[in-house]
Amino acid sequence: MTTPIGPVIIFDDEFHMYVLRDQAFAEAWWEMPDEFSCGFDTLARPLSMTGEPHRVRLELTGREPDEAELRRLVANHYRRFLPGEAPPQAPALADFVAALPREGL
């Protein structure tokens, strides 16, 4: 399986979104694997998280990209946690991901 391409977009157990610069940063930054709901790499390929507290690992699930689901979850995040702000509207996936707010820059 190939390595996720950063940035990675992770949703926690309450579906709050975190955009982290790459797999290594995400694995060092994320503490509890049970707080992970889902994630995607920059190509909208789904991610899974394994490991134990403070020692997590992100991996591609092996499925095809799911851009529609990524965009849906981002829109839900903006509706719930950033009322009054609009999610990126870029038609190209690369531009859409680049417009997302990042953690830890």
XYZ file of all heavy atoms in Angstrom:
843
model
N 0.853 -1.174 0.000
C 0.000 0.000 0.000
C 0.901 1.241 0.000
O 1.937 1.253 0.641
C -0.889 -0.036 1.247
C -1.862 1.086 1.308
S -3.587 0.747 0.924
C -3.723 -0.967 0.714
N 0.506 2.271 -0.697
C 1.297 3.482 -0.769
C 1.053 4.369 0.447
O 0.122 4.166 1.219
C 0.967 4.269 -2.058
O -0.409 4.593 -2.043
C 1.290 3.463 -3.290
N 1.892 5.351 0.607
C 1.824 6.275 1.728
C 0.816 7.383 1.436
O 0.746 7.884 0.313
C 3.223 6.908 1.943
O 4.151 5.850 2.169
C 3.231 7.854 3.104
N 0.046 7.800 2.454
C -0.863 8.936 2.259
C -0.076 10.186 1.853
O 1.011 10.446 2.369
C -1.501 9.130 3.634
C -1.326 7.825 4.332
C -0.054 7.241 3.797
N -0.633 10.948 0.951
C -0.014 12.190 0.494
C -0.627 13.339 1.273
O -1.850 13.459 1.361
C -0.225 12.383 -1.020
C 0.441 11.229 -1.780
C 0.311 13.731 -1.477
C 0.113 11.197 -3.250
N 0.227 14.177 1.858
C -0.249 15.304 2.669
C -0.626 16.501 1.834
O -0.211 16.616 0.681
N -1.444 17.354 2.394
C -1.932 17.282 3.764
C -2.986 16.189 3.924
O -3.591 15.745 2.956
C -2.537 18.666 4.009
C -2.947 19.145 2.672
C -1.959 18.552 1.706
N -3.156 15.766 5.178
C -4.192 14.791 5.496
C -5.314 15.518 6.226
O -5.075 16.451 6.991
C -3.655 13.606 6.320
C -2.660 12.803 5.503
C -3.027 14.047 7.628
N -6.531 15.093 5.957
C -7.722 15.707 6.560
C -8.342 14.642 7.453
O -8.735 13.577 6.969
C -8.727 16.169 5.477
C -8.059 17.149 4.498
C -9.930 16.823 6.127
C -7.591 16.528 3.233
N -8.393 14.936 8.753
C -8.876 13.979 9.739
C -10.112 14.543 10.423
O -10.159 15.728 10.761
C -7.776 13.672 10.773
C -6.579 13.017 10.093
C -8.317 12.787 11.890
C -5.399 12.781 11.016
N -11.075 13.668 10.664
C -12.282 14.029 11.401
C -12.313 13.224 12.692
O -12.137 12.001 12.666
C -13.532 13.747 10.555
C -13.599 14.610 9.337
C -12.991 14.206 8.154
C -14.238 15.838 9.371
C -13.028 15.013 7.026
C -14.283 16.647 8.247
C -13.676 16.242 7.072
N -12.517 13.933 13.808
C -12.555 13.235 15.095
C -13.920 12.611 15.338
O -14.788 12.623 14.461
C -12.121 14.169 16.233
C -13.097 15.291 16.546
O -14.256 15.278 16.075
O -12.697 16.201 17.294
N -14.109 12.078 16.538
C -15.342 11.361 16.852
C -16.578 12.256 16.903
O -17.698 11.769 16.931
C -15.197 10.574 18.151
C -14.711 11.399 19.313
O -14.371 12.583 19.140
O -14.652 10.850 20.438
N -16.389 13.571 16.883
C -17.510 14.512 16.784
C -17.560 15.156 15.397
O -18.290 16.107 15.176
C -17.397 15.573 17.875
C -17.545 14.979 19.264
C -17.434 16.020 20.356
O -17.172 17.206 20.067
O -17.611 15.624 21.519
N -16.734 14.664 14.499
C -16.617 15.124 13.115
C -16.099 16.558 13.001
O -16.427 17.280 12.067
C -17.914 14.900 12.326
C -18.114 13.439 12.049
C -18.836 12.643 12.917
C -17.518 12.852 10.951
C -18.975 11.286 12.686
C -17.653 11.489 10.706
C -18.387 10.707 11.577
N -15.244 16.949 13.951
C -14.487 18.196 13.843
C -13.310 17.894 12.929
O -12.674 16.843 13.043
C -14.008 18.644 15.229
C -13.426 20.006 15.234
N -12.138 20.260 14.863
C -13.972 21.196 15.554
C -11.895 21.553 14.961
N -12.997 22.147 15.376
N -13.017 18.805 12.017
C -11.997 18.581 10.996
C -10.645 19.144 11.425
O -10.568 20.239 11.987
C -12.431 19.275 9.699
C -11.411 19.207 8.587
S -11.976 20.095 7.111
C -11.836 21.803 7.648
N -9.598 18.399 11.120
C -8.211 18.832 11.330
C -7.459 18.589 10.028
O -7.479 17.477 9.497
C -7.551 18.032 12.453
C -8.296 18.142 13.758
C -9.344 17.282 14.053
C -7.964 19.127 14.675
C -10.039 17.389 15.247
C -8.662 19.244 15.875
C -9.694 18.366 16.150
O -10.390 18.485 17.314
N -6.798 19.603 9.534
C -5.997 19.474 8.318
C -4.536 19.570 8.758
O -4.099 20.612 9.268
C -6.344 20.569 7.288
C -5.535 20.368 6.008
C -7.842 20.561 6.994
N -3.813 18.480 8.587
C -2.445 18.357 9.090
C -1.490 18.157 7.921
O -1.820 17.475 6.955
C -2.373 17.195 10.077
C -3.402 17.309 11.217
C -3.538 15.996 11.957
C -3.042 18.433 12.158
N -0.316 18.747 8.008
C 0.555 18.880 6.835
C 0.984 17.581 6.178
O 1.200 17.529 4.974
C 1.759 19.754 7.150
C 2.749 19.156 8.080
C 3.971 20.088 8.235
N 4.746 19.687 9.375
C 4.915 20.425 10.454
N 4.377 21.603 10.531
N 5.638 19.973 11.442
N 1.141 16.496 6.947
C 1.518 15.228 6.335
C 1.287 14.094 7.330
O 0.896 14.329 8.480
C 2.966 15.240 5.836
C 3.993 15.557 6.918
O 3.736 15.298 8.113
O 5.067 16.065 6.564
N 1.538 12.879 6.893
C 1.301 11.711 7.722
C 2.140 11.754 9.000
O 1.615 11.505 10.093
C 1.622 10.443 6.931
C 1.452 9.163 7.741
C 1.835 7.925 6.967
O 2.297 7.994 5.837
N 1.649 6.776 7.583
N 3.425 12.064 8.905
C 4.297 12.076 10.084
C 3.827 13.104 11.115
O 3.779 12.809 12.317
C 5.740 12.358 9.672
N 3.475 14.297 10.652
C 2.982 15.326 11.572
C 1.687 14.871 12.226
O 1.497 15.018 13.431
C 2.782 16.657 10.842
C 2.336 17.765 11.741
C 3.240 18.442 12.539
C 1.001 18.126 11.798
C 2.821 19.463 13.383
C 0.570 19.148 12.638
C 1.485 19.813 13.432
N 0.779 14.293 11.441
C -0.502 13.835 11.977
C -0.299 12.748 13.032
O -0.937 12.779 14.087
C -1.391 13.314 10.845
N 0.603 11.817 12.771
C 0.849 10.740 13.731
C 1.485 11.248 15.011
O 1.196 10.734 16.096
C 1.708 9.646 13.089
C 0.966 8.901 12.008
C 1.821 7.928 11.235
O 3.065 7.936 11.379
O 1.231 7.152 10.463
N 2.321 12.266 14.921
C 2.927 12.851 16.124
C 1.929 13.728 16.877
O 1.976 13.812 18.107
C 4.158 13.667 15.730
N 1.022 14.372 16.159
C 0.089 15.337 16.739
C -1.131 14.672 17.363
O -1.602 15.078 18.410
C -0.332 16.312 15.634
C -1.067 17.516 16.063
C -0.523 18.669 16.560
C -2.483 17.738 15.997
N -1.529 19.573 16.814
C -2.738 19.025 16.472
C -3.553 16.963 15.577
C -4.014 19.567 16.541
C -4.834 17.490 15.650
C -5.050 18.779 16.129
N -1.654 13.635 16.726
C -2.886 12.969 17.175
C -2.545 12.048 18.343
O -1.607 11.277 18.276
C -3.479 12.157 16.029
C -4.928 11.870 16.223
C -5.465 10.762 16.815
C -6.025 12.676 15.821
N -6.826 10.849 16.811
C -7.205 12.018 16.208
C -6.122 13.908 15.185
C -8.473 12.525 15.960
C -7.378 14.416 14.934
C -8.536 13.737 15.325
N -3.340 12.113 19.411
C -3.019 11.343 20.608
C -3.804 10.054 20.773
O -3.255 9.033 21.154
C -3.226 12.218 21.855
C -2.294 13.395 21.899
C -2.555 14.301 23.073
O -3.569 14.125 23.774
O -1.730 15.197 23.297
N -5.100 10.091 20.534
C -5.968 8.963 20.876
C -6.622 8.363 19.633
O -7.467 9.007 19.005
C -7.044 9.415 21.857
C -6.493 10.062 23.121
S -5.456 8.967 24.085
C -6.684 7.865 24.748
N -6.272 7.131 19.275
C -6.856 6.545 18.070
C -8.371 6.374 18.152
O -9.043 6.407 17.124
C -6.144 5.198 17.946
C -5.603 4.905 19.299
C -5.356 6.225 19.952
N -8.918 6.232 19.348
C -10.365 6.048 19.462
C -11.142 7.341 19.229
O -12.362 7.310 19.124
C -10.741 5.423 20.806
C -10.365 6.273 22.001
O -9.507 7.168 21.870
O -10.930 6.029 23.090
N -10.441 8.466 19.112
C -11.103 9.737 18.795
C -11.156 10.000 17.290
O -11.687 11.007 16.847
C -10.404 10.884 19.512
C -10.568 10.818 21.021
C -9.823 11.908 21.754
O -9.028 12.642 21.123
O -10.033 12.021 22.970
N -10.608 9.107 16.498
C -10.588 9.207 15.039
C -11.871 8.608 14.474
O -12.252 7.494 14.836
C -9.372 8.430 14.518
C -9.301 8.286 13.027
C -8.668 9.246 12.257
C -9.844 7.181 12.382
C -8.568 9.101 10.877
C -9.764 7.029 11.009
C -9.122 7.996 10.258
N -12.548 9.365 13.604
C -13.721 8.820 12.904
C -13.369 8.415 11.486
O -13.685 7.313 11.054
C -14.858 9.835 12.861
O -15.468 9.925 14.106
N -12.746 9.339 10.754
C -12.346 9.038 9.383
C -11.328 10.075 8.935
O -11.115 11.083 9.597
C -13.551 9.013 8.444
S -14.424 10.574 8.314
N -10.713 9.811 7.797
C -9.729 10.742 7.274
C -9.484 10.491 5.800
O -9.917 9.472 5.243
N -8.794 11.449 5.194
C -8.491 11.400 3.760
C -7.117 12.010 3.541
O -6.703 12.906 4.273
C -9.506 12.231 2.963
C -10.921 11.765 3.140
C -11.690 12.225 4.196
C -11.488 10.864 2.256
C -12.997 11.798 4.373
C -12.788 10.425 2.422
C -13.555 10.903 3.489
N -6.438 11.549 2.501
C -5.225 12.251 2.110
C -5.598 13.317 1.088
O -6.781 13.524 0.784
C -4.136 11.287 1.633
C -4.326 10.711 0.243
O -5.398 10.900 -0.373
O -3.381 10.043 -0.231
N -4.612 14.008 0.553
C -4.891 15.125 -0.351
C -5.543 14.690 -1.665
O -6.132 15.518 -2.363
C -3.600 15.930 -0.619
O -3.944 17.215 -1.132
C -2.678 15.221 -1.581
N -5.478 13.397 -1.979
C -6.128 12.874 -3.182
C -7.512 12.314 -2.884
O -8.101 11.641 -3.722
C -5.250 11.791 -3.818
C -3.844 12.230 -4.234
C -3.052 11.045 -4.774
C -3.910 13.368 -5.234
N -8.023 12.579 -1.673
C -9.340 12.130 -1.203
C -9.411 10.617 -1.033
O -10.478 10.028 -1.061
C -10.466 12.639 -2.105
N -8.251 9.989 -0.833
C -8.242 8.557 -0.555
C -8.494 8.348 0.940
O -7.851 9.001 1.767
C -6.911 7.931 -0.971
C -6.666 8.074 -2.472
C -5.356 7.472 -2.895
N -4.240 8.194 -2.267
C -2.956 7.883 -2.449
N -2.625 6.854 -3.218
N -2.009 8.576 -1.862
N -9.417 7.475 1.294
C -9.753 7.266 2.709
C -8.584 6.696 3.515
O -7.780 5.901 3.016
C -10.906 6.266 2.667
C -11.474 6.400 1.289
C -10.312 6.732 0.411
N -8.529 7.123 4.781
C -7.498 6.689 5.709
C -8.123 5.932 6.878
O -9.280 6.163 7.233
C -6.753 7.895 6.283
C -6.065 8.825 5.305
C -5.541 10.061 6.035
C -4.932 8.106 4.598
N -7.323 5.069 7.485
C -7.697 4.453 8.748
C -6.607 4.792 9.756
O -5.495 5.170 9.381
C -7.836 2.937 8.598
O -6.596 2.355 8.261
N -6.939 4.664 11.040
C -5.966 4.921 12.092
C -5.903 3.698 12.993
O -6.935 3.150 13.393
C -6.347 6.152 12.916
C -5.305 6.500 13.972
S -5.728 7.984 14.917
C -5.355 9.263 13.713
N -4.689 3.271 13.291
C -4.464 2.158 14.197
C -3.473 2.602 15.261
O -2.900 3.686 15.178
C -3.909 0.929 13.451
O -2.683 1.308 12.798
C -4.891 0.405 12.416
N -3.263 1.755 16.242
C -2.275 2.043 17.269
C -2.895 2.178 18.634
O -4.027 1.763 18.877
N -2.125 2.774 19.508
C -2.551 2.978 20.886
C -2.306 4.435 21.253
O -1.689 5.170 20.465
C -1.811 2.016 21.811
C -0.318 2.002 21.606
C 0.330 0.839 22.325
O 0.171 -0.301 21.865
O 0.988 1.089 23.340
N -2.774 4.878 22.418
C -2.594 6.285 22.774
C -1.142 6.748 22.619
O -0.212 6.059 23.035
C -3.044 6.332 24.238
C -4.085 5.253 24.327
C -3.544 4.156 23.440
N -0.991 7.885 21.965
C 0.299 8.544 21.712
C 1.210 7.760 20.771
O 2.380 8.093 20.625
C 1.024 8.861 23.025
C 0.197 9.665 23.963
N -0.004 11.016 23.811
C -0.526 9.307 25.055
C -0.794 11.455 24.767
N -1.134 10.436 25.529
N 0.672 6.719 20.118
C 1.437 5.941 19.144
C 0.498 5.478 18.045
O 0.236 4.289 17.888
C 2.097 4.747 19.829
C 3.187 5.183 20.810
C 3.837 4.038 21.521
N 4.287 3.017 20.582
C 4.564 1.784 20.951
N 4.458 1.406 22.180
N 4.966 0.915 20.047
N -0.013 6.439 17.297
C -0.986 6.117 16.249
C -0.286 5.984 14.900
O 0.822 6.471 14.702
C -2.110 7.182 16.165
C -2.834 7.286 17.490
C -1.577 8.519 15.722
N -0.988 5.350 13.983
C -0.478 5.153 12.621
C -1.625 5.361 11.646
O -2.703 4.801 11.796
C 0.061 3.725 12.505
C 0.564 3.375 11.141
C 2.017 3.710 11.002
N 2.456 3.288 9.670
C 3.135 4.056 8.862
N 3.497 5.252 9.224
N 3.485 3.637 7.681
N -1.395 6.210 10.646
C -2.366 6.432 9.569
C -1.993 5.566 8.373
O -0.810 5.456 8.027
C -2.341 7.889 9.114
C -3.085 8.897 9.942
C -2.862 10.289 9.375
C -4.560 8.586 9.997
N -3.002 4.976 7.751
C -2.774 4.158 6.571
C -3.897 4.374 5.578
O -5.038 4.629 5.963
C -2.738 2.678 6.957
C -1.624 2.319 7.907
C -1.691 0.873 8.386
O -2.752 0.237 8.224
O -0.685 0.407 8.916
N -3.578 4.246 4.298
C -4.614 4.245 3.275
C -5.429 2.969 3.421
O -4.886 1.912 3.727
C -3.990 4.303 1.881
C -3.298 5.610 1.520
C -2.500 5.444 0.240
C -4.303 6.731 1.390
N -6.726 3.070 3.208
C -7.564 1.883 3.345
C -7.504 0.995 2.116
O -7.969 -0.136 2.160
C -9.032 2.256 3.605
O -9.533 2.950 2.476
C -9.182 3.073 4.857
N -6.971 1.497 1.003
C -6.893 0.715 -0.221
C -8.059 0.951 -1.149
O -8.086 0.440 -2.249
N -9.027 1.728 -0.681
C -10.185 2.018 -1.526
C -9.860 3.164 -2.479
O -8.883 3.880 -2.331
C -11.381 2.399 -0.665
C -11.813 1.262 0.250
C -13.050 1.587 0.993
N -13.070 2.970 1.464
C -13.875 3.429 2.383
N -14.734 2.641 2.939
N -13.843 4.686 2.761
N -10.741 3.342 -3.436
C -10.614 4.443 -4.399
C -10.870 5.786 -3.708
O -11.514 5.835 -2.668
C -11.626 4.244 -5.528
C -11.324 3.058 -6.411
C -10.011 3.207 -7.154
O -9.778 4.270 -7.745
O -9.227 2.249 -7.133
N -10.409 6.892 -4.307
C -10.700 8.215 -3.752
C -12.204 8.432 -3.602
O -13.000 7.910 -4.385
C -10.128 9.165 -4.801
C -9.083 8.374 -5.505
C -9.595 6.958 -5.518
N -12.564 9.185 -2.583
C -13.977 9.485 -2.324
C -14.123 11.001 -2.122
O -14.381 11.476 -1.014
C -14.489 8.710 -1.113
C -16.005 8.708 -1.021
O -16.658 9.446 -1.782
O -16.524 7.953 -0.180
N -13.931 11.727 -3.212
C -13.974 13.185 -3.161
C -15.337 13.688 -2.700
O -15.410 14.653 -1.923
C -13.635 13.767 -4.523
C -13.604 15.275 -4.542
C -13.194 15.848 -5.884
O -12.677 15.107 -6.745
O -13.398 17.071 -6.065
N -16.394 13.066 -3.127
C -17.737 13.512 -2.739
C -17.924 13.426 -1.222
O -18.481 14.338 -0.601
C -18.807 12.696 -3.456
N -17.458 12.350 -0.617
C -17.590 12.193 0.834
C -16.716 13.209 1.569
O -17.131 13.790 2.576
C -17.228 10.767 1.258
C -17.335 10.517 2.741
C -18.746 10.583 3.304
O -19.725 10.838 2.568
O -18.884 10.382 4.521
N -15.503 13.439 1.085
C -14.639 14.453 1.697
C -15.312 15.817 1.653
O -15.390 16.510 2.674
C -13.282 14.502 0.990
C -12.359 15.655 1.411
C -12.043 15.609 2.897
C -11.096 15.638 0.562
N -15.828 16.211 0.509
C -16.484 17.513 0.391
C -17.731 17.595 1.282
O -17.996 18.623 1.892
C -16.844 17.796 -1.064
C -15.633 18.138 -1.927
C -16.038 18.375 -3.376
N -14.919 18.656 -4.226
C -14.453 19.878 -4.521
N -15.032 20.950 -4.027
N -13.421 20.027 -5.333
N -18.472 16.505 1.391
C -19.661 16.485 2.255
C -19.279 16.681 3.722
O -19.877 17.479 4.442
C -20.415 15.163 2.083
C -21.730 15.107 2.859
C -22.344 13.718 2.810
N -21.617 12.758 3.621
C -21.671 12.697 4.963
N -22.407 13.539 5.644
N -20.983 11.774 5.613
N -18.238 15.973 4.174
C -17.802 16.098 5.565
C -17.238 17.485 5.860
O -17.464 18.035 6.944
C -16.780 15.009 5.900
C -17.343 13.597 5.981
C -16.221 12.570 5.996
C -18.244 13.453 7.201
N -16.511 18.054 4.917
C -15.998 19.418 5.099
C -17.167 20.401 5.215
O -17.183 21.260 6.100
C -15.043 19.819 3.952
C -14.736 21.310 3.975
C -13.749 19.005 4.034
N -18.152 20.272 4.344
C -19.321 21.159 4.402
C -20.040 21.013 5.743
O -20.447 22.016 6.348
C -20.275 20.857 3.247
N -20.182 19.778 6.232
C -20.812 19.569 7.542
C -20.002 20.203 8.660
O -20.561 20.773 9.599
C -21.002 18.079 7.817
C -22.118 17.480 7.004
O -22.951 18.195 6.430
N -22.143 16.161 6.929
N -18.680 20.101 8.583
C -17.815 20.722 9.588
C -18.046 22.240 9.622
O -18.202 22.824 10.694
C -16.341 20.424 9.291
C -15.397 21.267 10.079
N -15.058 20.982 11.383
C -14.732 22.396 9.761
C -14.223 21.907 11.815
N -14.005 22.770 10.849
N -18.065 22.855 8.460
C -18.287 24.307 8.409
C -19.655 24.666 8.973
O -19.783 25.639 9.722
C -18.140 24.825 6.978
C -16.713 25.190 6.628
C -15.788 24.202 6.302
C -16.290 26.507 6.646
C -14.480 24.523 5.987
C -14.979 26.838 6.327
C -14.081 25.846 6.007
O -12.787 26.176 5.713
N -20.686 23.909 8.631
C -22.035 24.174 9.147
C -22.086 24.087 10.672
O -22.689 24.925 11.326
C -23.029 23.174 8.552
C -24.039 23.797 7.630
C -25.137 22.842 7.181
N -24.769 21.489 6.804
C -24.232 21.136 5.642
N -23.970 22.038 4.732
N -23.960 19.877 5.387
N -21.448 23.067 11.229
C -21.515 22.828 12.672
C -20.569 23.693 13.476
O -20.925 24.168 14.554
C -21.186 21.363 12.979
C -22.276 20.414 12.577
C -21.940 18.992 12.958
N -21.905 18.867 14.424
C -21.334 17.849 15.050
N -20.754 16.892 14.379
N -21.353 17.793 16.367
N -19.331 23.844 13.013
C -18.298 24.459 13.835
C -17.876 25.854 13.383
O -17.219 26.568 14.143
C -17.064 23.550 13.890
C -17.360 22.195 14.462
C -17.398 21.070 13.651
C -17.632 22.037 15.810
C -17.675 19.818 14.174
C -17.920 20.785 16.350
C -17.937 19.676 15.521
N -18.207 26.248 12.181
C -17.822 27.560 11.656
C -19.032 28.254 11.037
O -19.019 28.620 9.865
C -16.709 27.405 10.614
C -15.414 26.757 11.095
C -14.502 26.452 9.924
C -14.718 27.633 12.117
N -20.107 28.420 11.821
C -21.303 29.046 11.251
C -20.983 30.427 10.699
O -20.204 31.166 11.272
C -22.279 29.105 12.425
C -21.451 28.952 13.648
C -20.216 28.197 13.255
N -21.562 30.720 9.576
C -21.304 32.008 8.935
C -20.132 31.978 7.970
O -19.962 32.906 7.192
N -19.306 30.946 8.020
C -18.197 30.806 7.075
C -18.569 29.750 6.039
O -19.196 28.751 6.358
C -16.911 30.387 7.785
C -16.336 31.472 8.677
C -14.961 31.085 9.193
O -14.149 30.546 8.399
O -14.712 31.316 10.369
N -18.148 29.973 4.832
C -18.436 29.022 3.753
C -17.229 28.122 3.514
O -16.084 28.590 3.549
C -18.777 29.771 2.475
N -17.453 26.849 3.263
C -16.329 25.974 2.915
C -15.776 26.370 1.549
O -16.442 27.061 0.779
C -16.964 24.586 2.868
C -18.412 24.821 2.641
C -18.731 26.153 3.249
N -14.565 25.949 1.245
C -14.006 26.252 -0.075
C -14.945 25.775 -1.181
O -15.600 24.743 -1.046
C -12.694 25.469 -0.102
C -12.353 25.256 1.331
C -13.650 25.150 2.060
N -14.991 26.524 -2.251
C -15.867 26.206 -3.378
C -15.093 25.798 -4.626
O -15.673 25.677 -5.695
C -16.758 27.414 -3.699
C -17.655 27.832 -2.560
C -18.620 26.723 -2.139
O -19.277 26.112 -2.978
N -18.690 26.452 -0.857
N -13.800 25.609 -4.494
C -12.962 25.277 -5.646
C -13.408 23.980 -6.312
O -13.580 22.968 -5.635
C -11.508 25.161 -5.202
N -13.604 24.003 -7.623
C -14.011 22.778 -8.311
C -12.892 21.727 -8.372
O -13.164 20.533 -8.312
C -14.420 23.242 -9.705
C -13.848 24.595 -9.876
C -13.587 25.157 -8.512
N -11.648 22.147 -8.467
C -10.530 21.198 -8.523
C -10.179 20.738 -7.113
O -10.068 21.547 -6.193
C -9.318 21.844 -9.181
N -10.009 19.437 -6.936
C -9.714 18.879 -5.618
C -8.466 19.494 -5.006
O -8.465 19.847 -3.821
C -9.570 17.353 -5.701
C -9.217 16.652 -4.402
C -10.292 16.883 -3.332
C -8.988 15.174 -4.641
N -7.398 19.656 -5.762
C -6.158 20.220 -5.223
C -6.387 21.623 -4.678
O -5.876 21.972 -3.611
C -5.071 20.246 -6.298
N -7.153 22.434 -5.374
C -7.445 23.787 -4.913
C -8.356 23.767 -3.689
O -8.203 24.575 -2.772
C -8.091 24.607 -6.030
C -7.158 24.810 -7.209
O -5.918 24.803 -7.014
O -7.672 24.953 -8.339
N -9.309 22.845 -3.663
C -10.208 22.697 -2.523
C -9.412 22.363 -1.266
O -9.562 23.012 -0.228
C -11.225 21.592 -2.829
C -12.147 21.263 -1.697
C -13.236 22.069 -1.411
C -11.932 20.128 -0.919
C -14.100 21.756 -0.365
C -12.782 19.807 0.111
C -13.868 20.630 0.400
N -8.546 21.371 -1.340
C -7.738 20.960 -0.182
C -6.784 22.085 0.219
O -6.622 22.365 1.410
C -6.980 19.645 -0.468
C -5.987 19.335 0.627
C -7.967 18.499 -0.639
N -6.186 22.766 -0.737
C -5.254 23.854 -0.419
C -5.946 25.002 0.321
O -5.317 25.714 1.089
C -4.605 24.373 -1.701
N -7.231 25.173 0.113
C -7.987 26.266 0.751
C -8.458 25.930 2.166
O -8.969 26.813 2.870
C -9.179 26.657 -0.113
N -8.293 24.688 2.601
C -8.728 24.310 3.947
C -7.769 24.870 5.000
O -6.550 24.883 4.774
C -8.802 22.784 4.069
C -9.840 22.091 3.185
C -9.663 20.572 3.288
C -11.246 22.511 3.570
N -8.292 25.291 6.145
C -7.409 25.818 7.213
C -6.593 24.687 7.833
O -7.121 23.630 8.157
C -8.408 26.406 8.220
C -9.660 25.639 8.020
C -9.697 25.283 6.546
N -5.291 24.911 7.998
C -4.393 23.877 8.514
C -4.024 24.121 9.967
O -3.933 25.257 10.425
C -3.121 23.819 7.691
C -3.382 23.378 6.278
C -2.100 23.055 5.592
N -2.343 22.860 4.166
C -1.409 22.470 3.329
N -0.192 22.262 3.762
N -1.696 22.307 2.075
N -3.760 23.022 10.667
C -3.283 23.048 12.043
C -1.754 23.032 12.039
O -1.139 22.389 11.201
C -3.760 21.800 12.807
C -5.249 21.617 12.842
C -5.944 22.547 13.824
O -5.298 23.016 14.771
O -7.126 22.795 13.610
N -1.157 23.687 12.988
C 0.268 23.553 13.251
C 1.210 23.998 12.167
O 2.255 23.401 11.977
N 0.872 25.041 11.458
C 1.791 25.523 10.418
C 2.899 26.356 11.007
O 2.847 26.999 11.939
C 1.051 26.336 9.368
C 0.229 25.500 8.410
C -0.501 26.387 7.415
C 1.065 24.503 7.675
